Amino acid sequence: SAGTLALGASNAISNTTSLSLGSGATLSLGGTSSVLVNVLNFNSSTVDFGTTGSTNHFLFNSAGTNSGTLTIANWTSGTDVFGVATNSVSQSFLDNLYFSNLNVGIGAVLSASPISVGGYGNFYTLAPIPTFTWDGGQSSGPVASQDDWSQAGNWTGNIAPAVGAMKAIVMAGSARLANDMNGAYQVNSLLFRSDAGAFTLSSSTSDTLTVGG
């Protein structure tokens, strides 16, 4: 249930533990701790890696039950490792992981191959789902198609999302609020950032946007 379990040292929890993070609970690694548990279960809870830039590992042998969202806070790519010993992780588990404060959507992807984590063994890493953020910046080409989702210039980084690939979409800002989803896009999550205007999403191709499917 709600409350914080703060680890003061690495391996403070036995690697045979079936860890269940209840609603509102936080597991804090404190920026200085690494831990391996046997099974990870969660219900609308948080794993806080602590001070960004420090090296922490949160590892588990298998994914258990999940409900709500598990928020991964203060995780640093290339430094921290959030990993699982098996690549048999349900899509539901992956879809309910959220890496906070990184301007990404809800969802995670599992690495194709494991990495060696010193002192613990080999683990598949979990990372934020690829996220595409709308900025409505397309300014070239036929005017009638400048609002299209397929236009690279409408997305931060000038890379348009593929129609069927696993991804998250974030609508932001106030440019091209009336835009055209010109394809049968599939997304894990659709978020409207705090600065988002009143968007109107339509489809000139009469396609359906599938969210979470």
Side-chain angles (χ1 to χ4, degrees):
S1 59
T4 298
L5 174 60
L7 304 185
S10 293
N11 307 318
I13 300 175
S14 169
N15 60 13
T16 63
T17 298
S18 178
L19 179 64
S20 296
L21 297 174
S23 180
T26 297
L27 174 67
S28 175
L29 303 183
T32 58
S33 303
S34 295
V35 66
L36 166 64
V37 299
N38 189 34
V39 181
L40 174 62
N41 310 285
F42 67 81
N43 177 13
S44 301
S45 45
T46 299
V47 173
D48 187 350
F49 277 79
T51 306
T52 57
S54 58
T55 301
N56 302 276
H57 307 319
F58 180 59
L59 310 168
F60 54 104
N61 287 323
S62 62
T65 60
N66 64 278
S67 177
T69 301
L70 178 64
T71 298
I72 309 301
N74 295 312
W75 174 87
T76 304
S77 177
T79 303
D80 296 322
V81 177
F82 181 32
V84 58
T86 176
N87 60 359
S88 297
V89 178
S90 72
Q91 193 60 52
S92 172
F93 192 95
L94 295 174
D95 288 347
N96 287 297
L97 300 177
Y98 173 59
F99 291 76
S100 64
N101 299 317
L102 295 177
N103 291 318
V104 298
I106 299 173
V109 291
L110 192 66
S111 62
S113 57
I115 65 168
S116 177
V117 180
Y120 294 97
N122 295 326
F123 290 84
Y124 294 88
T125 58
L126 294 151
I129 193 171
T131 298
F132 296 83
T133 301
W134 178 269
D135 63 16
Q138 183 71 29
S139 59
S140 61
V143 173
S145 64
Q146 288 182 8
D147 296 330
D148 292 355
W149 278 30
S150 60
Q151 295 286 354
N154 282 326
W155 304 92
T156 299
N158 294 322
I159 299 175
V163 171
M166 183 181 297
K167 60 190 171 296
I169 296 292
V170 176
M171 308 305 289
S174 56
R176 302 190 183 281
L177 294 176
N179 50 72
D180 185 2
M181 187 199 70
N182 59 324
Y185 284 83
Q186 300 176 28
V187 301
N188 281 61
S189 61
L190 174 65
L191 303 178
F192 291 84
R193 211 168 64 185
S194 60
D195 65 342
F199 279 92
T200 299
L201 308 182
S202 61
S203 176
S204 63
T205 50
S206 300
D207 281 308
T208 298
L209 174 63
T210 302
V211 180

